[in-house]
Amino acid sequence: MEAENIKPWLFRVQPYEGESLSHFLGRFRRANDLTPTGLGKATGLGGAIARWEKFRLNPPPSQQHLEALAKVVGVDAEKLEQMLPPPGMGMKMEPIRLCAVCYIESPCHKIDWQFKVTQGCDRHKLSLLSECPNCGARFKVPALWMDAWCQRCFTPFVDMAKCQKHY
């Protein structure tokens, strides 16, 4: 299906400041009841969407890829590029990390949390969480974060903030 054929029917999702592409793609897909495959077909990017949601950015999205995605999601390609690590910046694909205090302030996964050089939350001077402090489950990829809670025990991210340690 051509992107232009479905474009008028898509709900727009505004990106948050510092949001990771994984989280944004998940929010966009849920708002429009799309699977990664469905969004891949609409954009002409195929399986790239599913890879990007898992931080598998090798090779990184090209300008052409970002422009194709931008046409469908209604977000400027430059803004999409800001949701990716800067060129040369190493990424941790796992574990997925979270600053619960940041999430309370702005409910999104921040791309900065996955940088290899990131040791903690620079804004709050707190360690990042990589698993639920209640049950020990590792966090799912941000594209799957729907309800801001642990997907195993349902502990809200808000309640996890008290478990973060200062550094």
Side-chain angles (χ1 to χ4, degrees):
M1 178 176 286
E2 294 285 326
E4 280 67 31
N5 293 343
I6 66 169
K7 189 175 178 182
W9 298 101
L10 295 175
F11 293 103
R12 298 293 176 220
V13 174
Q14 293 302 314
Y16 291 105
E17 188 65 34
E19 184 173 20
S20 69
L21 184 62
S22 173
H23 193 261
F24 174 77
L25 291 173
R27 290 190 314 115
F28 181 83
R29 286 190 308 93
R30 282 189 297 282
N32 290 286
D33 199 26
L34 291 168
T35 63
T37 303
L39 183 55
K41 285 180 182 176
T43 58
L45 296 171
I49 299 295
R51 286 196 327 271
W52 297 345
E53 287 186 359
K54 296 173 188 159
F55 295 109
R56 300 195 192 292
L57 304 171
N58 191 7
S62 68
Q63 188 63 34
Q64 192 174 21
H65 291 143
L66 294 174
E67 288 171 7
L69 181 59
K71 284 181 187 175
V72 174
V73 300
V75 173
D76 188 65
E78 289 177 17
K79 185 67 176 168
L80 293 172
E81 188 172 14
Q82 293 171 6
M83 296 179 193
L84 297 167
M89 177 66 70
M91 288 280 294
K92 285 186 177 235
M93 291 186 289
E94 46 186 45
I96 299 302
R97 302 190 293 180
L98 163 74
C99 174
V101 177
C102 283
Y103 200 90
I104 292 166
E105 296 171 359
S106 177
C108 72
H109 178 268
K110 307 285 187 192
I111 187 64
D112 297 4
W113 297 339
Q114 295 306 127
F115 295 164
K116 283 184 179 178
V117 298
T118 301
Q119 298 301 311
C121 174
D122 288 338
R123 179 176 168 86
H124 299 105
K125 305 298 182 214
L126 295 170
S127 61
L128 295 174
L129 299 171
S130 59
E131 62 185 32
C132 174
N134 186 48
C135 73
R138 289 217 161 174
F139 297 121
K140 302 282 186 187
V141 293
L144 301 176
W145 293 5
M146 297 191 313
D147 300 308
W149 61 38
C150 171
Q151 292 187 327
R152 183 192 293 165
C153 72
F154 308 110
T155 298
F157 290 166
V158 172
D159 294 349
M160 295 180 192
K162 64 182 177 265
C163 299
Q164 287 181 265
K165 306 236 183 296
H166 286 277
Y167 70 90

